[in-house]
Amino acid sequence: MRAYRAKMVESIRLPDREEREAALDAAGHNVFNLDSDAVYVDLLTDSGTGTMSDAQWAAMMQGDEAYAGSGSFTDLEAAASDVLGFDRIVPAHQGRGAENVLYGSLVEPGDVVPNNTHFDTTRAHVVEQGGEPVDCPVEGALDPGASGDFLGNFDVERARAVVDEVGADRVPAVVVTLTNNSAAGQPVSVANVRAVREFCDEIGATFVLDACRFAENAHFVREREPEFADSTVAAVAREQLSYADACIVSAKKDGLANVGGFVGIRDAPAFDDLFERAKQRAILYEGFTTYGGMAGRDLAAVAVGLREAVTDAYITDRVEQVRWLGERLDEAGVPVVRPVGGHAVYVDAGAMCPHLRSEEFPGQAVVCDLYREGGVRGVELGEFAFPGADRPDLVRLAIPRRTYARDHLEHVVETAAAVADHADDLPGYEVVSEPPMAELRHFSADLRPLAPSPGSEE
Ligand SMILES: *Cc1c(COP(=O)(O)O)cnc(C)c1O
């Protein structure tokens, strides 16, 4: 049940079809290049695109803008301690800033970093440090047809084989991403987190939780892991984080803010050195250790947002809304990855466009057509975003938090159903120009359709 109502509104409009065709052409058929006022329902990402609460806006007015020793930082520290159980934090401007601070302090050239599945910026940061990111998802995690309660889990045996091969001294850290963003937002069980803890003790590695979506994961744990059936989401959130030595948080996700992030580091003598190194690196790249690239008002908003994220009223509504969209799309004949994850519905574009080879980017074909048909912006996560990774060609429809109502999502369902109806006729795409770093290609490459689109002017 919706446990909030609107108090401020933002106008949006659906440009007509001709405008949409022109906008898509001008954007090089890459929806990252579209102006947001040309988008009707924007499901590009749920990162920093949510709606803040009146309590967050009120806290912003009292943000302490002091360069050092900001009271808003003290508030954020207290929230991170209460909500996540991390008493030491290093703030950063967003999650990737936190990744730069942490992985830059942990990873050396030649190191190997196992992760259930590296999120794109995480992969890029490990590579940037000269490390080698290795994905260790469980069987079926990347298979759109698989089913299971915890398809986001980390496969410890797979990681053990990697460690046996390269030697434990080359593995400084093991990362678990919860929920597993790049594996369709599937959750990770607490049992799995405990197993990874034991594995890290065995090989002497630092256990990092990429906790950007800690609240969504906690909701699924409570729903699916019998041990936690009677727990609060807040209690599960703390429990799952309690096993990690360090964590990465993007406040743009379950911090319910528009910007911000931090590294959490365990308050124990074994991590004093890591904490010091992280703080030094943060001063260089992010800002002094009591603001880290955020304004005082941002720190204040995140401090309130973290607490709101683990309230039952918020998180239940959030996950239910995403699930509702998944179910309606499924009923409308749009192939979606089941079970539906925490922050997004993943459309199986490969299944929708069997006439297109992966190299012709069926995901991008669907993304472009969703925009052309209904001004809906999603994002390709397949061969275009992950060149050569041999992953299924998916399109992610990520739902901003507390932002869209059911009629917006009904428009998305109608649009996607129209795309599915003529999916057999969608053209493939080819890359015209791309940036040097392959890991970041989907953010800025230009593409060209290999044939005219159904219903287009050409
Ligand atoms: C979003 C995200 C990040 C990066 O955070 P930004 O705030 O976008 O820089 C890192 N890891 C995961 C799992 C994420 O979802």
Side-chain angles (χ1 to χ4, degrees):
M1 193 188 293
R2 181 78 22 110
Y4 53 86
R5 62 185 175 196
K7 189 168 191 154
M8 189 185 283
V9 295
E10 179 183 12
S11 298
I12 53 175
R13 68 181 267 273
L14 176 61
D16 63 29
R17 189 171 177 110
E18 207 174 306
E19 274 179 78
R20 300 197 297 266
E21 298 268 3
L24 199 57
D25 267 348
H29 297 90
N30 183 340
V31 292
F32 280 96
N33 295 331
L34 287 172
D35 288 342
S36 85
D37 65 4
V39 176
Y40 182 54
V41 180
D42 200 350
L43 307 184
L44 182 70
T45 175
D46 65 326
S47 178
T49 54
T51 301
M52 292 208 295
S53 67
D54 50 356
Q56 284 177 291
W57 282 107
M60 284 184 81
M61 294 295 162
Q62 297 192 316
D64 178 350
E65 305 299 339
Y67 189 97
S70 163
S72 301
F73 176 69
T74 312
D75 291 344
L76 178 57
E77 269 187 318
S81 173
D82 291 348
V83 176
L84 306 172
F86 275 87
D87 293 334
R88 296 201 291 204
I89 60 168
V90 183
H93 75 283
Q94 62 180 89
R96 70 200 63 185
E99 290 180 325
N100 179 26
V101 166
L102 182 65
Y103 298 121
S105 306
L106 266 178
V107 179
E108 304 277 333
D111 283 347
V112 172
V113 179
N115 191 325
N116 42 353
T117 313
H118 284 82
F119 180 67
D120 52 13
T121 60
T122 318
R123 177 178 303 278
H125 274 294
V126 170
V127 169
E128 179 82 358
Q129 296 308 319
E132 184 192 338
V134 179
D135 288 347
C136 301
V138 289
E139 202 69 41
L142 298 176
D143 173 1
S147 62
D149 283 344
F150 291 106
L151 287 171
N153 278 356
F154 180 97
D155 189 333
V156 175
E157 289 320 309
R158 224 152 145 167
R160 186 171 278 121
V162 173
V163 174
D164 286 348
E165 196 188 312
V166 304
D169 52 338
R170 279 184 58 200
V171 182
V174 174
V175 187
V176 170
T177 307
L178 49 81
T179 59
N180 194 345
N181 187 335
S182 305
Q186 298 296 318
V188 174
S189 69
V190 170
N192 187 242
V193 170
R194 289 176 182 145
V196 176
R197 172 72 268 171
E198 280 177 28
F199 176 59
C200 287
D201 288 340
E202 206 181 295
I203 64 168
T206 300
F207 181 12
V208 179
L209 274 178
D210 184 333
C212 295
R213 295 187 165 85
F214 69 93
E216 289 160 13
N217 199 76
H219 177 85
F220 286 119
V221 164
R222 182 178 62 172
E223 202 175 67
R224 298 177 188 174
E225 204 166 353
E227 180 185 339
F228 299 99
D230 299 324
S231 305
T232 60
V233 166
V236 178
R238 268 196 307 276
E239 172 75 11
Q240 66 192 3
L241 266 300
S242 70
Y243 298 96
D245 301 319
C247 68
I248 294 282
V249 172
S250 165
K252 303 175 72 167
K253 321 288 176 52
D254 284 351
L256 304 188
N258 299 121
V259 77
F262 56 86
V263 179
I265 294 178
R266 191 59 65 201
D267 189 4
F271 300 103
D272 285 352
D273 185 48
L274 177 63
F275 186 45
E276 283 312 315
R277 271 181 291 145
K279 283 197 291 189
Q280 293 311 309
R281 195 172 169 86
I283 292 172
L284 190 58
Y285 287 101
E286 296 292 317
F288 188 65
T289 56
T290 59
Y291 73 88
M294 282 183 274
R297 64 184 82 99
D298 301 324
L299 297 163
V302 178
V304 175
L306 281 177
R307 295 183 193 278
E308 290 179 352
V310 290
T311 58
D312 280 1
Y314 161 72
I315 195 65
T316 304
D317 172 67
R318 159 77 174 155
V319 176
E320 289 306 317
Q321 191 185 33
V322 176
R323 190 174 293 159
W324 184 91
L325 177 62
E327 282 166 4
R328 291 297 92 74
L329 285 169
D330 186 53
E331 284 166 18
V334 179
V336 298
V337 175
R338 308 291 299 265
V340 174
H343 65 295
V345 178
Y346 288 73
V347 174
D348 187 351
M352 245 166 126
C353 304
H355 63 294
L356 296 178
R357 289 176 299 119
S358 202
E359 297 71 36
E360 296 169 325
F361 307 140
Q364 195 62 16
V366 170
V367 165
C368 288
D369 209 52
L370 283 168
Y371 178 70
R372 208 182 277 118
E373 279 301 321
V376 173
R377 177 156 70 169
V379 67
E380 195 267 8
L381 292 177
E383 182 60 27
F384 176 47
F386 306 105
D390 194 24
R391 299 163 55 111
D393 285 295
L394 304 180
V395 170
R396 186 185 71 185
L397 303 175
I399 319 289
R401 295 167 178 79
R402 305 190 288 204
T403 300
Y404 288 115
R406 190 163 281 191
D407 42 6
H408 296 112
L409 299 186
E410 277 165 359
H411 173 80
V412 173
V413 174
E414 280 166 26
T415 301
V419 173
D421 270 350
H422 61 218
D424 288 346
D425 301 324
L426 292 180
Y429 283 79
E430 65 181 358
V431 171
V432 184
S433 68
E434 58 185 304
M437 203 169 181
E439 286 82 7
L440 303 177
R441 151 165 112 174
H442 75 139
F443 292 114
S444 51
D446 282 348
L447 302 104
R448 163 165 71 208
L450 295 165
S453 304
S456 75
E457 308 284 293
E458 293 153 87

Short mmCIF file of all heavy atoms in Angstrom, two decimals, residues 211-263:
data_model
loop_
_atom_site.label_atom_id
_atom_site.label_comp_id
_atom_site.label_asym_id
_atom_site.label_seq_id
_atom_site.Cartn_x
_atom_site.Cartn_y
_atom_site.Cartn_z
N ALA A 211 27.01 -2.29 -0.95
CA ALA A 211 25.70 -2.28 -0.29
C ALA A 211 24.78 -1.19 -0.82
O ALA A 211 23.89 -0.72 -0.12
CB ALA A 211 25.91 -2.09 1.21
N CYS A 212 24.97 -0.79 -2.08
CA CYS A 212 24.17 0.29 -2.64
C CYS A 212 22.67 0.04 -2.48
O CYS A 212 21.90 0.96 -2.27
CB CYS A 212 24.51 0.50 -4.11
SG CYS A 212 26.20 1.07 -4.33
N ARG A 213 22.26 -1.22 -2.55
CA ARG A 213 20.84 -1.55 -2.44
C ARG A 213 20.57 -2.44 -1.24
O ARG A 213 19.86 -3.45 -1.33
CB ARG A 213 20.37 -2.18 -3.75
CG ARG A 213 20.44 -1.20 -4.91
CD ARG A 213 19.83 -1.75 -6.18
NE ARG A 213 19.60 -0.67 -7.12
CZ ARG A 213 20.53 -0.20 -7.96
NH1 ARG A 213 21.72 -0.72 -7.98
NH2 ARG A 213 20.24 0.79 -8.78
N PHE A 214 21.15 -2.04 -0.11
CA PHE A 214 21.05 -2.86 1.11
C PHE A 214 19.61 -3.04 1.59
O PHE A 214 19.25 -4.09 2.11
CB PHE A 214 21.91 -2.25 2.23
CG PHE A 214 21.37 -0.94 2.75
CD1 PHE A 214 20.52 -0.91 3.84
CD2 PHE A 214 21.70 0.26 2.13
CE1 PHE A 214 20.00 0.29 4.32
CE2 PHE A 214 21.19 1.47 2.59
CZ PHE A 214 20.32 1.49 3.68
N ALA A 215 18.77 -2.01 1.41
CA ALA A 215 17.41 -2.10 1.94
C ALA A 215 16.55 -3.04 1.09
O ALA A 215 15.78 -3.85 1.62
CB ALA A 215 16.77 -0.71 2.01
N GLU A 216 16.71 -2.94 -0.23
CA GLU A 216 15.96 -3.84 -1.11
C GLU A 216 16.38 -5.28 -0.85
O GLU A 216 15.55 -6.19 -0.78
CB GLU A 216 16.20 -3.46 -2.58
CG GLU A 216 15.51 -2.14 -2.93
CD GLU A 216 16.07 -1.45 -4.18
OE1 GLU A 216 16.83 -2.09 -4.94
OE2 GLU A 216 15.74 -0.28 -4.39
N ASN A 217 17.69 -5.49 -0.68
CA ASN A 217 18.15 -6.86 -0.41
C ASN A 217 17.55 -7.37 0.90
O ASN A 217 17.08 -8.52 0.98
CB ASN A 217 19.68 -6.91 -0.33
CG ASN A 217 20.21 -8.31 -0.52
OD1 ASN A 217 20.24 -8.83 -1.64
ND2 ASN A 217 20.56 -8.96 0.58
N ALA A 218 17.54 -6.51 1.91
CA ALA A 218 17.01 -6.92 3.22
C ALA A 218 15.54 -7.30 3.11
O ALA A 218 15.07 -8.25 3.75
CB ALA A 218 17.20 -5.79 4.24
N HIS A 219 14.81 -6.58 2.28
CA HIS A 219 13.39 -6.91 2.08
C HIS A 219 13.23 -8.33 1.52
O HIS A 219 12.40 -9.10 1.99
CB HIS A 219 12.75 -5.89 1.15
CG HIS A 219 11.31 -6.18 0.83
ND1 HIS A 219 10.28 -5.78 1.63
CD2 HIS A 219 10.74 -6.89 -0.18
CE1 HIS A 219 9.14 -6.20 1.12
NE2 HIS A 219 9.39 -6.87 0.01
N PHE A 220 14.03 -8.67 0.51
CA PHE A 220 13.94 -10.01 -0.08
C PHE A 220 14.36 -11.09 0.91
O PHE A 220 13.79 -12.17 0.93
CB PHE A 220 14.81 -10.10 -1.34
CG PHE A 220 14.24 -9.38 -2.52
CD1 PHE A 220 14.90 -8.33 -3.11
CD2 PHE A 220 13.01 -9.77 -3.05
CE1 PHE A 220 14.37 -7.67 -4.21
CE2 PHE A 220 12.47 -9.12 -4.15
CZ PHE A 220 13.15 -8.07 -4.72
N VAL A 221 15.37 -10.79 1.71
CA VAL A 221 15.83 -11.77 2.71
C VAL A 221 14.69 -12.07 3.68
O VAL A 221 14.39 -13.23 3.99
CB VAL A 221 17.07 -11.24 3.46
CG1 VAL A 221 17.31 -12.04 4.74
CG2 VAL A 221 18.30 -11.29 2.55
N ARG A 222 14.02 -11.03 4.13
CA ARG A 222 12.92 -11.25 5.07
C ARG A 222 11.81 -12.06 4.42
O ARG A 222 11.20 -12.92 5.03
CB ARG A 222 12.37 -9.91 5.55
CG ARG A 222 11.26 -10.12 6.56
CD ARG A 222 10.72 -8.84 7.08
NE ARG A 222 10.13 -8.04 6.01
CZ ARG A 222 9.45 -6.93 6.24
NH1 ARG A 222 9.31 -6.48 7.46
NH2 ARG A 222 8.94 -6.25 5.24
N GLU A 223 11.59 -11.80 3.15
CA GLU A 223 10.52 -12.49 2.44
C GLU A 223 10.86 -13.95 2.15
O GLU A 223 10.00 -14.81 2.16
CB GLU A 223 10.33 -11.74 1.11
CG GLU A 223 9.01 -11.89 0.44
CD GLU A 223 8.97 -10.98 -0.80
OE1 GLU A 223 9.71 -11.20 -1.77
OE2 GLU A 223 8.19 -10.03 -0.76
N ARG A 224 12.14 -14.24 1.88
CA ARG A 224 12.50 -15.56 1.33
C ARG A 224 13.38 -16.42 2.21
O ARG A 224 13.52 -17.61 1.95
CB ARG A 224 13.23 -15.36 0.00
CG ARG A 224 12.35 -14.68 -1.02
CD ARG A 224 13.10 -14.41 -2.31
NE ARG A 224 12.27 -13.58 -3.18
CZ ARG A 224 12.66 -13.08 -4.34
NH1 ARG A 224 13.88 -13.33 -4.79
NH2 ARG A 224 11.84 -12.36 -5.06
N GLU A 225 14.06 -15.86 3.21
CA GLU A 225 14.98 -16.67 4.01
C GLU A 225 14.29 -16.93 5.35
O GLU A 225 14.13 -16.01 6.15
CB GLU A 225 16.32 -15.92 4.19
CG GLU A 225 17.49 -16.84 4.48
CD GLU A 225 18.84 -16.13 4.31
OE1 GLU A 225 18.88 -14.96 3.85
OE2 GLU A 225 19.86 -16.75 4.65
N PRO A 226 13.86 -18.19 5.58
CA PRO A 226 13.00 -18.50 6.72
C PRO A 226 13.50 -17.96 8.06
O PRO A 226 12.71 -17.47 8.87
CB PRO A 226 12.97 -20.03 6.73
CG PRO A 226 13.24 -20.42 5.31
CD PRO A 226 14.14 -19.37 4.74
N GLU A 227 14.82 -17.98 8.26
CA GLU A 227 15.37 -17.49 9.54
C GLU A 227 14.93 -16.06 9.86
O GLU A 227 14.86 -15.67 11.02
CB GLU A 227 16.91 -17.56 9.44
CG GLU A 227 17.64 -17.08 10.67
CD GLU A 227 19.17 -17.05 10.47
OE1 GLU A 227 19.69 -17.74 9.57
OE2 GLU A 227 19.81 -16.31 11.24
N PHE A 228 14.62 -15.28 8.82
CA PHE A 228 14.34 -13.86 9.04
C PHE A 228 12.87 -13.48 8.85
O PHE A 228 12.53 -12.29 8.78
CB PHE A 228 15.23 -13.01 8.13
CG PHE A 228 16.69 -13.22 8.42
CD1 PHE A 228 17.44 -14.07 7.62
CD2 PHE A 228 17.28 -12.63 9.52
CE1 PHE A 228 18.79 -14.29 7.90
CE2 PHE A 228 18.61 -12.86 9.82
CZ PHE A 228 19.37 -13.69 9.01
N ALA A 229 12.01 -14.50 8.75
CA ALA A 229 10.60 -14.24 8.45
C ALA A 229 9.97 -13.27 9.45
O ALA A 229 9.09 -12.48 9.10
CB ALA A 229 9.82 -15.56 8.42
N ASP A 230 10.42 -13.31 10.71
CA ASP A 230 9.82 -12.44 11.73
C ASP A 230 10.66 -11.21 12.04
O ASP A 230 10.37 -10.49 12.99
CB ASP A 230 9.58 -13.24 13.01
CG ASP A 230 8.61 -14.41 12.76
OD1 ASP A 230 7.67 -14.22 11.96
OD2 ASP A 230 8.82 -15.49 13.33
N SER A 231 11.71 -10.99 11.25
CA SER A 231 12.60 -9.84 11.53
C SER A 231 12.07 -8.58 10.86
O SER A 231 11.30 -8.65 9.90
CB SER A 231 14.00 -10.11 10.99
OG SER A 231 14.51 -11.31 11.49
N THR A 232 12.53 -7.45 11.33
CA THR A 232 12.24 -6.21 10.61
C THR A 232 13.29 -6.06 9.51
O THR A 232 14.38 -6.64 9.59
CB THR A 232 12.35 -4.98 11.55
OG1 THR A 232 13.69 -4.93 12.06
CG2 THR A 232 11.35 -5.06 12.69
N VAL A 233 12.96 -5.26 8.50
CA VAL A 233 13.92 -5.00 7.43
C VAL A 233 15.16 -4.31 8.02
O VAL A 233 16.29 -4.58 7.63
CB VAL A 233 13.26 -4.15 6.32
CG1 VAL A 233 14.30 -3.58 5.36
CG2 VAL A 233 12.28 -5.02 5.54
N ALA A 234 14.93 -3.46 9.00
CA ALA A 234 16.05 -2.75 9.64
C ALA A 234 17.01 -3.76 10.29
O ALA A 234 18.23 -3.62 10.19
CB ALA A 234 15.53 -1.77 10.67
N ALA A 235 16.45 -4.78 10.93
CA ALA A 235 17.30 -5.78 11.60
C ALA A 235 18.07 -6.61 10.58
O ALA A 235 19.25 -6.91 10.76
CB ALA A 235 16.44 -6.68 12.49
N VAL A 236 17.40 -6.98 9.48
CA VAL A 236 18.09 -7.75 8.43
C VAL A 236 19.20 -6.91 7.79
O VAL A 236 20.29 -7.41 7.53
CB VAL A 236 17.10 -8.23 7.34
CG1 VAL A 236 17.85 -8.99 6.25
CG2 VAL A 236 16.00 -9.08 7.94
N ALA A 237 18.91 -5.63 7.57
CA ALA A 237 19.91 -4.75 6.96
C ALA A 237 21.18 -4.75 7.80
O ALA A 237 22.29 -4.90 7.28
CB ALA A 237 19.35 -3.33 6.81
N ARG A 238 21.02 -4.61 9.10
CA ARG A 238 22.19 -4.62 9.98
C ARG A 238 22.89 -5.97 9.99
O ARG A 238 24.11 -6.06 9.95
CB ARG A 238 21.80 -4.24 11.41
CG ARG A 238 21.91 -2.76 11.71
CD ARG A 238 21.90 -2.49 13.21
NE ARG A 238 20.75 -3.10 13.86
CZ ARG A 238 19.54 -2.54 13.93
NH1 ARG A 238 19.33 -1.35 13.41
NH2 ARG A 238 18.54 -3.16 14.53
N GLU A 239 22.08 -7.04 10.04
CA GLU A 239 22.65 -8.39 10.09
C GLU A 239 23.51 -8.66 8.84
O GLU A 239 24.65 -9.12 8.94
CB GLU A 239 21.51 -9.42 10.17
CG GLU A 239 21.93 -10.87 10.04
CD GLU A 239 22.62 -11.44 11.26
OE1 GLU A 239 22.61 -10.78 12.32
OE2 GLU A 239 23.19 -12.56 11.15
N GLN A 240 22.99 -8.37 7.67
CA GLN A 240 23.74 -8.69 6.44
C GLN A 240 25.04 -7.88 6.36
O GLN A 240 26.06 -8.39 5.89
CB GLN A 240 22.87 -8.50 5.19
CG GLN A 240 22.47 -7.06 4.94
CD GLN A 240 21.37 -6.85 3.89
OE1 GLN A 240 20.82 -7.81 3.36
NE2 GLN A 240 21.04 -5.61 3.61
N LEU A 241 25.01 -6.65 6.86
CA LEU A 241 26.22 -5.81 6.81
C LEU A 241 27.23 -6.19 7.89
O LEU A 241 28.41 -5.86 7.77
CB LEU A 241 25.82 -4.34 7.00
CG LEU A 241 25.56 -3.43 5.79
CD1 LEU A 241 26.79 -3.32 4.92
CD2 LEU A 241 24.38 -3.87 4.96
N SER A 242 26.76 -6.88 8.91
CA SER A 242 27.63 -7.12 10.08
C SER A 242 28.80 -8.03 9.76
O SER A 242 29.77 -8.07 10.50
CB SER A 242 26.80 -7.72 11.23
OG SER A 242 26.41 -9.06 10.90
N TYR A 243 28.72 -8.77 8.65
CA TYR A 243 29.78 -9.72 8.32
C TYR A 243 30.91 -9.10 7.51
O TYR A 243 31.95 -9.70 7.32
CB TYR A 243 29.19 -10.92 7.55
CG TYR A 243 28.19 -11.67 8.39
CD1 TYR A 243 26.83 -11.40 8.29
CD2 TYR A 243 28.61 -12.60 9.33
CE1 TYR A 243 25.91 -12.05 9.09
CE2 TYR A 243 27.70 -13.26 10.15
CZ TYR A 243 26.34 -12.97 10.02
OH TYR A 243 25.45 -13.61 10.83
N ALA A 244 30.69 -7.88 7.00
CA ALA A 244 31.67 -7.28 6.09
C ALA A 244 32.72 -6.46 6.84
O ALA A 244 32.46 -5.94 7.93
CB ALA A 244 30.95 -6.39 5.08
N ASP A 245 33.90 -6.36 6.24
CA ASP A 245 34.97 -5.52 6.79
C ASP A 245 34.82 -4.08 6.29
O ASP A 245 35.28 -3.15 6.93
CB ASP A 245 36.33 -6.06 6.33
CG ASP A 245 36.55 -7.49 6.79
OD1 ASP A 245 36.19 -7.80 7.94
OD2 ASP A 245 37.07 -8.29 5.98
N ALA A 246 34.26 -3.95 5.11
CA ALA A 246 34.09 -2.62 4.52
C ALA A 246 32.85 -2.65 3.63
O ALA A 246 32.41 -3.73 3.22
CB ALA A 246 35.32 -2.25 3.69
N CYS A 247 32.30 -1.49 3.37
CA CYS A 247 31.15 -1.45 2.45
C CYS A 247 31.22 -0.19 1.61
O CYS A 247 31.87 0.79 1.96
CB CYS A 247 29.83 -1.53 3.21
SG CYS A 247 29.44 -0.10 4.22
N ILE A 248 30.56 -0.30 0.46
CA ILE A 248 30.40 0.84 -0.46
C ILE A 248 28.91 1.18 -0.46
O ILE A 248 28.08 0.29 -0.63
CB ILE A 248 30.77 0.42 -1.91
CG1 ILE A 248 32.25 0.08 -2.04
CG2 ILE A 248 30.34 1.49 -2.91
CD1 ILE A 248 33.16 1.27 -2.12
N VAL A 249 28.61 2.44 -0.27
CA VAL A 249 27.20 2.86 -0.35
C VAL A 249 27.10 4.03 -1.33
O VAL A 249 27.86 5.00 -1.23
CB VAL A 249 26.66 3.29 1.04
CG1 VAL A 249 25.27 3.90 0.91
CG2 VAL A 249 26.62 2.11 1.99
N SER A 250 26.18 3.91 -2.28
CA SER A 250 25.80 5.04 -3.11
C SER A 250 24.52 5.58 -2.51
O SER A 250 23.49 4.89 -2.51
CB SER A 250 25.56 4.62 -4.56
OG SER A 250 24.88 5.66 -5.23
N ALA A 251 24.56 6.81 -2.01
CA ALA A 251 23.36 7.39 -1.40
C ALA A 251 22.29 7.67 -2.44
O ALA A 251 21.14 7.97 -2.11
CB ALA A 251 23.72 8.67 -0.65
N LYS A 252 22.66 7.56 -3.73
CA LYS A 252 21.71 7.78 -4.82
C LYS A 252 20.77 6.60 -4.98
O LYS A 252 19.80 6.67 -5.74
CB LYS A 252 22.48 8.01 -6.13
CG LYS A 252 23.45 9.19 -6.03
CD LYS A 252 24.29 9.33 -7.28
CE LYS A 252 23.46 9.86 -8.43
NZ LYS A 252 24.33 10.30 -9.56
N LYS A 253 21.05 5.52 -4.30
CA LYS A 253 20.17 4.33 -4.34
C LYS A 253 19.41 4.31 -3.02
O LYS A 253 18.55 5.14 -2.81
CB LYS A 253 21.00 3.07 -4.55
CG LYS A 253 22.16 3.19 -5.53
CD LYS A 253 21.72 3.28 -6.97
CE LYS A 253 22.88 3.50 -7.93
NZ LYS A 253 24.00 2.58 -7.84
N ASP A 254 19.78 3.38 -2.14
CA ASP A 254 19.00 3.25 -0.90
C ASP A 254 19.32 4.32 0.15
O ASP A 254 18.84 4.22 1.28
CB ASP A 254 19.14 1.84 -0.33
CG ASP A 254 18.30 0.83 -1.13
OD1 ASP A 254 17.51 1.27 -1.99
OD2 ASP A 254 18.42 -0.38 -0.90
N GLY A 255 20.10 5.34 -0.23
CA GLY A 255 20.25 6.50 0.65
C GLY A 255 19.10 7.49 0.41
O GLY A 255 18.97 8.49 1.11
N LEU A 256 18.28 7.18 -0.61
CA LEU A 256 17.10 7.99 -0.95
C LEU A 256 17.42 9.47 -1.19
O LEU A 256 16.60 10.34 -0.94
CB LEU A 256 16.02 7.87 0.15
CG LEU A 256 15.53 6.47 0.49
CD1 LEU A 256 14.33 6.54 1.44
CD2 LEU A 256 15.14 5.70 -0.77
N ALA A 257 18.64 9.72 -1.68
CA ALA A 257 19.05 11.09 -1.95
C ALA A 257 19.38 11.24 -3.44
O ALA A 257 19.39 10.26 -4.18
CB ALA A 257 20.25 11.45 -1.09
N ASN A 258 19.65 12.47 -3.87
CA ASN A 258 19.96 12.70 -5.28
C ASN A 258 21.45 12.63 -5.57
O ASN A 258 21.87 12.58 -6.73
CB ASN A 258 19.39 14.04 -5.74
CG ASN A 258 17.88 14.08 -5.61
OD1 ASN A 258 17.33 14.94 -4.91
ND2 ASN A 258 17.18 13.15 -6.23
N VAL A 259 22.25 12.64 -4.53
CA VAL A 259 23.70 12.55 -4.70
C VAL A 259 24.31 12.05 -3.39
O VAL A 259 23.66 12.11 -2.35
CB VAL A 259 24.27 13.94 -5.11
CG1 VAL A 259 24.36 14.87 -3.92
CG2 VAL A 259 25.63 13.80 -5.80
N GLY A 260 25.53 11.58 -3.46
CA GLY A 260 26.24 11.21 -2.23
C GLY A 260 26.62 9.74 -2.17
O GLY A 260 26.18 8.93 -2.99
N GLY A 261 27.47 9.44 -1.23
CA GLY A 261 27.90 8.07 -1.02
C GLY A 261 28.97 8.03 0.05
O GLY A 261 29.37 9.09 0.56
N PHE A 262 29.37 6.85 0.43
CA PHE A 262 30.46 6.73 1.40
C PHE A 262 31.01 5.31 1.42
O PHE A 262 30.39 4.38 0.92
CB PHE A 262 30.01 7.16 2.81
CG PHE A 262 28.81 6.44 3.36
CD1 PHE A 262 28.92 5.23 4.03
CD2 PHE A 262 27.53 6.99 3.20
CE1 PHE A 262 27.80 4.57 4.55
CE2 PHE A 262 26.40 6.34 3.70
CZ PHE A 262 26.54 5.13 4.38
N VAL A 263 32.21 5.24 2.00
CA VAL A 263 32.81 3.94 2.30
C VAL A 263 32.59 3.72 3.79
O VAL A 263 32.77 4.64 4.59
CB VAL A 263 34.34 3.98 2.04
CG1 VAL A 263 34.96 2.63 2.36
CG2 VAL A 263 34.63 4.38 0.61
#
